[in-house]
Amino acid sequence: MSFELIEKLRDKGYKITRQRESILAVLSEEGHQLLSAREIFKKVLKNGGCTNFSTVYRNLELLMQEGIVRKVELNRDAACYELSNCEEHHHHLVCTKCGNIQVTSYCPLDELQDEDGFVPTEHHFEIYGYCKDCV
Amino acid sequence: MSFELIEKLRDKGYKITRQRESILAVLSEEGHQLLSAREIFKKVLKNGGCTNFSTVYRNLELLMQEGIVRKVELNRDAACYELSNCEEHHHHLVCTKCGNIQVTSYCPLDELQDEDGFVPTEHHFEIYGYCKDCV
DNA sequence: TTTTATGCAAAAGGTTTGCAACTAG
DNA sequence: CTAGTTGCAAACCTTTTGCATAAAA
């Protein structure tokens, strides 16, 4: 699972609760797929874990602060989350027909010229359209 | 004001109500600044108009469908809107310190290579950081 | 034991909706 | 006249918060 992450949290002084572990376990499952808070909640329960919506949100907040989790806001009702260290920096291509999400390592920030002295610290880039099976 | 837009709507069979006109007027004010539904609502009232939150939302929805308005979701509580035809395609640089928003005409979609046959129809690109006065 | 985390229920905030009343054309 | 719009209030959903209880360390 994600022993390094657990250790990182422990070292920082956070307690390792069953809930926290379950949430990290779900996020570590089957390769970095984007999950909403609700989906994480359900998956924890399905895995036999025990948690609560508030707990999920509070942990996601904490994990984001620690740079372990990244929030991605797509054209959807709820925000999605993914482990930020499980893969290199990337952006998402969302198929608006089948819902499939693919990843690209292309990052526009590399190409951005100086914009009147603006110093970027963060950016969002998501692409919507049709995947090759839905064109 | 925005006679062409009014005409476009009328031609499409939509009725031109005072509310609809006021909302368009506010969006046309002082060059393409991003406004939330709440801000639009307040500005309409301040201008002596009369409207309602639902009406603002319903009109924004309609104006988006007609390609007249574009929704931009920033790192904020509420979504923002701008006229989509008042300027050429652009993206936003948001200063997270002073809140100032500047615009860039740079668009990453031009650089995007073929991504496994994905056909983009829409994209979001926003940059957060410090403007030159806040660095 | 002490500090942090959880669960619950309620609140907050943006956005949407049902429906009756209204109005532009 | 009548189809499309508005206003109002209530619903919806996600996310946040207060507080008492529970459990890591």
Side-chain angles (χ1 to χ4, degrees), chain A residues 10 15-16 38 54 57-58 77 79:
Chain A
R10 200 193 308 274
K15 295 182 176 172
I16 309 305
R38 163 160 271 112
S54 317
Y57 275 110
R58 279 193 273 232
D77 32 354

Side-chain angles (χ1 to χ4, degrees), chain B residues 20-69:
Chain B
R20 197 158 278 168
E21 278 187 305
S22 321
I23 291 168
L24 273 176
V26 163
L27 286 167
S28 307
E29 276 176 13
E30 53 186 314
H32 62 79
Q33 96 185 36
L34 289 173
L35 296 171
S36 68
R38 163 158 272 113
E39 289 168 330
I40 294 169
F41 173 65
K42 284 189 191 161
K43 287 204 175 215
V44 167
L45 296 190
K46 190 192 288 179
N47 292 353
C50 159
T51 192
N52 175 282
F53 248 108
S54 316
T55 303
V56 172
Y57 276 110
R58 278 193 273 232
N59 274 289
L60 288 172
E61 187 61 35
L62 183 152
L63 293 168
M64 282 195 290
Q65 275 173 29
E66 294 305 322
I68 293 175
V69 158

Side-chain angles (χ1 to χ4, degrees), chain A:
Chain A
M1 205 233 291
S2 44
F3 286 123
E4 332 82 55
L5 296 180
I6 300 285
E7 285 315 309
K8 180 172 177 180
L9 288 176
R10 200 193 308 274
D11 290 351
K12 284 261 191 174
Y14 297 113
K15 295 182 176 172
I16 309 305
T17 63
R18 275 168 297 132
Q19 292 84 343
R20 197 157 279 167
E21 278 187 305
S22 321
I23 291 167
L24 273 176
V26 164
L27 285 167
S28 306
E29 275 176 14
E30 54 187 313
H32 62 79
Q33 97 185 34
L34 288 173
L35 296 171
S36 69
R38 163 160 271 112
E39 290 168 328
I40 294 169
F41 173 66
K42 283 189 191 160
K43 288 205 172 214
V44 167
L45 296 190
K46 190 192 289 179
N47 292 353
C50 159
T51 191
N52 176 284
F53 249 107
S54 317
T55 302
V56 171
Y57 275 110
R58 279 193 273 232
N59 273 290
L60 287 171
E61 186 62 35
L62 182 152
L63 293 168
M64 281 195 289
Q65 275 173 29
E66 295 305 323
I68 293 175
V69 159
R70 209 159 67 92
K71 182 199 260 190
V72 181
E73 313 222 34
L74 303 178
N75 268 349
R76 297 182 171 181
D77 32 354
C80 288
Y81 303 84
E82 65 182 357
L83 286 186
S84 59
N85 62 336
C86 71
E87 206 187 354
E88 67 193 71
H89 183 72
H90 60 275
H91 294 284
H92 298 96
L93 300 100
V94 183
C95 178
T96 51
K97 190 169 176 202
C98 72
N100 185 271
I101 296 180
Q102 60 192 78
V103 160
T104 177
S105 61
Y106 168 69
C107 177
L109 218 60
D110 305 335
E111 320 275 350
L112 189 71
Q113 305 292 311
D114 176 69
E115 292 286 346
D116 195 26
F118 191 95
V119 178
T121 56
E122 195 190 338
H123 62 287
H124 294 178
F125 179 44
E126 299 97 34
I127 305 152
Y128 302 86
Y130 298 105
C131 71
K132 70 162 186 282
D133 297 329
C134 292
V135 171

